[in-house]
Each structure stands twice: as structure tokens, then as C-alpha cells.
Amino acid sequence: MTPTTTAATGTYLPSLTGLRAVAALGIFCFHAALLGCADRSPPGPLVAMGPPCVSFFFVLSGYLLARSARPASNRGRSSGAAA
């Protein structure tokens, strides 16, 4: 699958958007498990996956925001010193 070009970000990576959606679904399941078990013990696997999904979602979001904020002249170049 090739990335789609957009005017705002240069390239759109649908795979990263899909990963963010999976992380958001994990966060939703975490909250649903906590709300659904107010009167009984929480299900372990659903509660355990909440914090890692939040971290993963924020890391991907930060990467995508930083990528879109870069000037067009710096895209495709490394951050190291020019030789």
C-alpha cells in the first residue's frame, strides 16, 4: 500500500491511522470494563491493556503531529549535520 499525498502533511499514512484506531479501541474497552464492573471484580486482561494503549496512542499522535509540523524543506532529510 502506498501513502496518499495530502496538501497539509505531505503524505498520509493510513497504517498509522489504523494503529491509532486500534489503540483507541483498547482505551474504549478499558473504560467499558471499568464501568461495567462497579459491583464485581474487574476482568484482568481488559483492565491491564488500558495504560499501554494510552501511551501507544499518544506516541503515535505525537509522531504524526511532529511530522506534519516540519517545514517542507526539511522533509526527507536526516536531522544530522550536513556533510
Side-chain angles (χ1 to χ4, degrees), residues 3-55:
T4 308
T5 302
T6 62
T9 62
T11 57
Y12 170 70
L13 301 172
S15 57
L16 293 183
T17 301
L19 287 174
R20 285 179 65 213
V22 169
L25 182 64
I27 295 166
F28 175 79
C29 290
F30 169 72
H31 285 101
L34 288 181
L35 289 175
C37 60
D39 57 343
R40 58 188 188 279
S41 64
L46 288 178
V47 172
M49 74 179 189
C53 285
V54 171
S55 298

Side-chain angles (χ1 to χ4, degrees), residues 28-79:
F28 175 79
C29 290
F30 169 72
H31 285 101
L34 288 181
L35 289 175
C37 60
D39 57 343
R40 58 188 188 279
S41 64
L46 288 178
V47 172
M49 74 179 189
C53 285
V54 171
S55 298
F56 188 62
F57 180 83
F58 280 124
V59 166
L60 283 176
S61 297
Y63 172 76
L64 292 172
L65 285 171
R67 182 183 167 138
S68 67
R70 286 189 315 184
S73 61
N74 288 341
R75 290 190 184 139
R77 293 176 29 189
S78 67
S79 61

